[in-house]
């Protein structure tokens, strides 16, 4: 659900507002300053928990427990780091997370865009029924799906392995819906007809005509799928029954459950490190999104 | 597998634990959603007036939402910690008594709601901003000509035109907020003694979905778990419709 609306929020960027408000604010300098001060206060509130986590990751728990709270960096980041690596298999679980997130992202991009291409550009009997069924699946809450999914994964013998995370997530209704809406507008029928005359089959049309046109749409879907998978917690917590072979979020949660009340410095170091790859992906992705929109790739 | 008829559902209706988990979920939802929508609207209106750095602000406000709930819940666990948390340090600094946030029923709910508000305010502000930018500038110009102040302009022009966006945000917040799981689970797992899904002392933070996980995967009762899941689905649907109606009706006045 969350990923759905994130993508929409970024995409649904309408043209900038008319000049009326802008000139009015510019005329009133003092109000402009008050505005930016309030907005900066909001930014501070958004950023402060991150900052505090970084600060705590550089202190021992004794320092953290003392009053007043530490607001400046300490000198024990290295100690916390080595304690963290002793407590959980940090890089092992990060590799698991990467494996799952990258595999799912590529599978989702492939299957969702393939299905979306068919829904968007081809007429065939049962199309509306199939589409309606897919949208119904979209609305089934995750908990309802969790039980049969768990039973199926158990019967296949996949519980405990990363396969139980990757396979069920390989295609999803949201992504198909998203790509279909995108393709309907972006791929022109004349282009498809021309490629057909040139002798292109279905797969060639999909690969050489459809995909290049919808790259911005794929970029959104890819980034949000990756972040959603990276952050996924409830299902991995259930499906990964071997505590030594888990994803990063589950490992972090174990760390918090065992050491959460005793060694905050170390737990915070884990939380901070786990955020780094995500922030990098987001930083790269955000730039990509803005660039794509700027170029007006969608015509 | 044995056919159990409707007995699971009959039991669900009399299960006081399930009913109290509905109450817990609704209280947390209300504590999180109303401040969130208010703050998001204020932020969006400010962002819409700010001419410079709009993209920088948008990036910064979006950041809490892309980070993992597990890491964020761990961080907020320390913000609300009784012994050394920032909130208690602030209370102490102004001479007030400390609160055992994660050990009292209301403290638990407030902590979870604060986490959710923090994570979703900027996100919703950006959605509101997208809505605000579709309102033609001429409308504001006309209102100014007619001598309307900023408050009047907001309630007479901005708010009515924003109703569809408000509705969207409210419904999405309802659907996601009523299914909160990771926030209470991570925040309360070390204070819970019987199960990591039990929602802390006195089950004060046991949301509907936590209760579902406890029944299904701790008690291994898949049958009853499925009944609970349908119960959750029903609550979410009913509550979404109620919210939808409330916002729409206000529009008819």
């Amino acid at each position: 659900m969350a990923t759905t609306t994130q993508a929409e929020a970024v995409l649904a960027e309408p043209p900038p507002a008319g000049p009326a408000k802008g000139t009015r604010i510019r005329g009133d300098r003092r109000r402009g300053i008050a505005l930016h001060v309030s907005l900066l206060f909001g930014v501070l509130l958004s950023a402060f928990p991150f900052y505090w986590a970084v600060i705590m990751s550089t202190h021992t728990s004794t320092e953290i427990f003392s009053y007043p709270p530490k607001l400046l960096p300490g000198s024990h980041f290295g100690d916390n780091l080595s304690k963290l690596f002793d407590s959980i298999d940090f890089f092992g679980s990060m590799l698991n997370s990467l494996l799952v997130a990258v595999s799912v992202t590529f599978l989702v991009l492939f299957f969702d865009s393939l299905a979306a291409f068919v829904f968007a550009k081809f007429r065939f009997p049962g199309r509306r029924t199939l589409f309606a069924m897919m949208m119904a699946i979209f609305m089934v809450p995750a908990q309802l799906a969790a039980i049969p999914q768990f039973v199926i994964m158990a019967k296949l013998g996949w519980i405990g392995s990363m396969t139980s995370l990757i396979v069920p997530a390989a295609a999803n209704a949201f992504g198909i819906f998203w790509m279909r809406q995108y393709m309907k507008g972006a791929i022109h029928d004349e282009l498809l007809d021309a490629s057909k005359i040139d002798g292109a089959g279905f797969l060639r049309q999909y690969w050489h005509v459809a995909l290049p046109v919808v790259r911005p749409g794929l970029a959104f879907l890819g980034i949000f799928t990756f972040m959603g998978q990276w952050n996924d917690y409830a299902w991995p917590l259930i499906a990964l029954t071997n505590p030594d072979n888990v994803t990063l979020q589950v490992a972090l949660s174990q760390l918090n459950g065992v050491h959460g009340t005793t060694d905050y410095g170390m737990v915070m170091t884990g939380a901070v490190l786990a955020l780094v790859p995500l922030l990098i992906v987001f930083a790269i992705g955000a730039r990509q999104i803005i660039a794509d929109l700027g170029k007006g790739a969608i015509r | 597998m044995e056919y159990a008829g409707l007995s699971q559902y009959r039991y669900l209706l009399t299960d006081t634990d399930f009913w109290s988990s509905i109450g817990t979920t609704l209280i947390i939802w209300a504590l999180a959603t109303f401040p969130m929508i208010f703050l998001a609207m204020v932020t969006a209106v400010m962002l819409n007036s700010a001419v410079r750095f709009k993209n920088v602000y948008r990036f910064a406000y979006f950041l809490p939402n892309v980070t993992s709930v597990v890491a964020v819940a761990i961080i907020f666990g320390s913000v609300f910690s009784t012994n050394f948390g920032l909130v208690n340090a602030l209370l102490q600094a102004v001479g007030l008594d400390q609160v055992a946030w994660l050990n009292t029923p209301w403290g638990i709910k407030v902590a979870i709601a604060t986490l959710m508000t923090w994570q979703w305010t900027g996100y919703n502000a950006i959605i509101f901003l997208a809505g605000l930018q579709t309102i033609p500038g001429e409308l504001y110009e006309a209102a100014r000509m007619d001598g309307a102040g900023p408050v009047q302009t907001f309630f007479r022009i901005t708010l009515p035109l924003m109703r569809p966006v408000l509705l969207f945000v409210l419904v999405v917040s309802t659907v996601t907020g009523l299914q909160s799981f990771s926030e209470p689970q991570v925040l309360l797992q070390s204070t819970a003694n019987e199960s990591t899904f039990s929602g802390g002392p006195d089950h004060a933070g046991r949301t509907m979905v936590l209760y579902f996980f406890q029944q299904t995967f701790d008690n291994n009762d898949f049958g009853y778990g499925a009944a609970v899941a349908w119960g959750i689905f029903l609550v979410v649907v009913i509550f979404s419709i109620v919210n939808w109606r409330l916002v729409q009706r206000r529009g008819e006045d």
Side-chain angles (χ1 to χ4, degrees):
Chain A
M1 199 67 216
T3 49
T4 321
T5 43
Q6 276 169 5
E8 279 164 5
V10 185
L11 244 199
E13 164 83 47
K21 293 206 78 185
T23 45
R24 194 175 154 200
I25 294 294
R26 224 171 292 148
D28 194 345
R29 253 192 103 90
R30 203 177 289 169
R31 233 185 100 187
I33 292 169
L35 193 71
H36 281 287
V37 168
S38 318
L39 282 170
L40 278 175
F41 182 70
V43 171
L44 201 71
L45 278 181
S46 292
F48 193 74
F50 296 121
Y51 174 77
W52 203 50
V54 171
I55 295 304
M56 287 208 293
S57 73
T58 62
H59 286 283
T60 63
S61 27
T62 329
E63 286 170 342
I64 292 171
F65 278 109
S66 63
Y67 184 88
K70 302 285 168 295
L71 293 174
L72 291 172
S75 56
H76 292 95
F77 183 70
D79 303 338
N80 285 331
L81 208 58
S82 55
K83 272 193 285 178
L84 172 72
F85 294 154
D86 288 341
S87 307
I88 54 168
D89 182 8
F90 188 86
F91 289 107
S93 56
M94 190 182 255
L95 273 180
N96 279 337
S97 284
L98 261 180
L99 170 77
V100 171
V102 170
S103 319
V104 169
T105 302
F106 278 105
L107 290 170
V108 160
L109 287 180
F110 176 69
F111 287 122
D112 285 7
S113 63
L114 193 61
F117 183 45
V118 177
F119 275 131
K121 289 293 160 186
F122 294 87
R123 312 200 146 268
F124 55 92
R127 185 178 73 138
R128 294 177 71 93
T129 319
L130 267 179
F131 191 71
M133 278 167 69
M134 193 197 69
M135 291 310 285
I137 293 168
F138 185 29
M139 288 162 196
V140 174
Q143 305 85 257
L144 264 181
I147 296 176
Q149 189 168 305
F150 187 87
V151 175
I152 293 168
M153 290 299 121
K155 292 216 161 129
L156 288 168
W158 289 351
I159 287 298
S161 83
M162 296 304 140
T163 324
S164 66
L165 269 51
I166 296 170
V167 174
N172 61 64
F174 160 68
I176 298 174
F177 180 52
W178 168 258
M179 288 311 299
R180 172 194 179 258
Q181 300 307 94
Y182 205 96
M183 285 173 161
K184 266 190 113 103
I187 305 169
H188 291 198
D189 290 332
E190 301 86 64
L191 215 58
L192 288 178
D193 292 342
S195 69
K196 206 171 179 181
I197 292 166
D198 290 347
F202 169 73
L203 281 177
R204 192 177 277 260
Q205 281 187 327
Y206 162 73
W207 195 260
H208 289 292
V209 181
L211 282 194
V213 182
V214 296
R215 281 222 314 254
L218 287 172
F220 285 117
L221 185 60
I223 290 162
F224 288 111
T225 305
F226 183 91
M227 295 205 290
Q229 284 299 314
W230 185 270
N231 288 338
D232 196 17
Y233 175 59
W235 174 247
L237 186 66
I238 297 305
L240 300 177
T241 42
N242 175 3
D244 295 326
N245 189 27
V246 293
T247 58
L248 192 55
Q249 307 305 333
V250 180
L252 263 189
S253 164
Q254 290 169 353
L255 194 69
N256 186 47
V258 179
H259 302 279
T261 45
T262 50
D263 200 343
Y264 261 107
M266 187 251 281
V267 175
M268 278 307 142
T269 308
V272 168
L273 281 193
L275 288 177
V276 172
L278 201 66
L279 293 181
I280 293 173
V281 170
F282 178 63
I284 297 169
R287 208 172 294 157
Q288 168 85 36
I289 288 164
I290 291 162
D292 277 334
L293 283 172
K295 269 183 253 155
I298 319 154
R299 259 184 259 274
Chain B
M1 207 183 287
E2 187 188 323
Y3 184 65
L6 290 175
S7 62
Q8 301 276 29
Y9 293 95
R10 224 169 285 139
Y11 180 71
L12 185 69
L13 288 178
T14 60
D15 183 357
T16 49
D17 283 346
F18 178 65
W19 286 103
S20 82
S21 80
I22 297 178
T24 302
T25 311
L26 292 183
I27 291 169
I28 294 171
W29 176 84
L31 284 176
T33 304
F34 295 119
M36 181 184 76
I37 286 183
F38 174 75
L39 290 173
M41 188 65 92
V42 171
T43 309
V45 170
M46 288 196 299
L47 276 176
N48 198 33
S49 327
V51 183
R52 306 175 68 189
F53 311 120
K54 203 177 275 188
N55 279 330
V56 180
Y57 284 130
R58 200 158 30 195
F59 185 87
Y61 281 116
F62 201 57
L63 215 50
N65 194 258
V66 300
T67 48
S68 89
V69 183
V70 176
V72 165
I74 290 174
I75 296 169
F76 270 74
S78 69
V79 170
F80 282 101
S81 158
T82 308
N83 301 322
F84 64 90
L86 273 187
V87 179
N88 272 351
L90 273 178
L91 289 179
Q92 196 175 335
V94 294
L96 291 171
D97 284 341
Q98 302 205 328
V99 177
W101 291 101
L102 297 177
N103 271 308
T104 53
W106 277 98
I108 286 173
K109 293 182 177 77
V110 168
I112 298 169
T114 309
L115 197 174
M116 288 159 79
T117 307
W118 177 79
Q119 206 168 21
W120 290 94
T121 296
Y123 165 85
N124 285 318
I126 287 161
I127 296 187
F128 282 148
L129 177 64
L132 285 175
Q133 288 176 333
T134 61
I135 300 176
E138 299 87 61
L139 279 180
Y140 290 108
E141 194 72 355
R144 198 159 58 97
M145 301 274 214
D146 292 345
V151 176
Q152 209 174 359
T153 310
F154 177 79
F155 282 104
R156 291 292 162 96
I157 294 179
T158 310
L159 207 55
L161 287 171
M162 285 287 282
R163 184 162 289 112
V165 184
L166 190 64
L167 208 60
F168 172 80
V169 165
L170 192 65
V171 169
V172 171
S173 312
T174 307
V175 173
T176 53
L178 293 185
Q179 300 190 55
S180 56
F181 163 80
S182 306
E183 297 92 346
Q185 201 274 342
V186 177
L187 208 52
L188 300 168
Q189 62 175 354
S190 50
T191 55
N193 34 29
E194 65 189 77
S195 143
T196 56
F197 301 132
S198 60
D202 293 334
H203 308 301
R206 187 166 64 188
T207 58
M208 296 189 290
V209 177
L210 265 186
Y211 186 63
F212 162 80
F213 272 86
Q214 195 181 3
Q215 290 302 319
T216 312
F217 295 107
D218 266 355
N219 296 352
N220 279 313
D221 192 344
F222 284 26
Y224 188 56
V228 173
W230 278 114
I232 296 171
F233 180 56
L234 212 64
V235 172
V236 172
V237 168
I238 291 172
F239 209 68
S240 302
I241 293 171
V242 168
N243 279 337
W244 183 281
R245 283 280 166 83
L246 281 178
V247 173
Q248 274 205 323
R249 188 168 303 162
R250 217 175 290 158
E252 290 163 9
D253 294 344

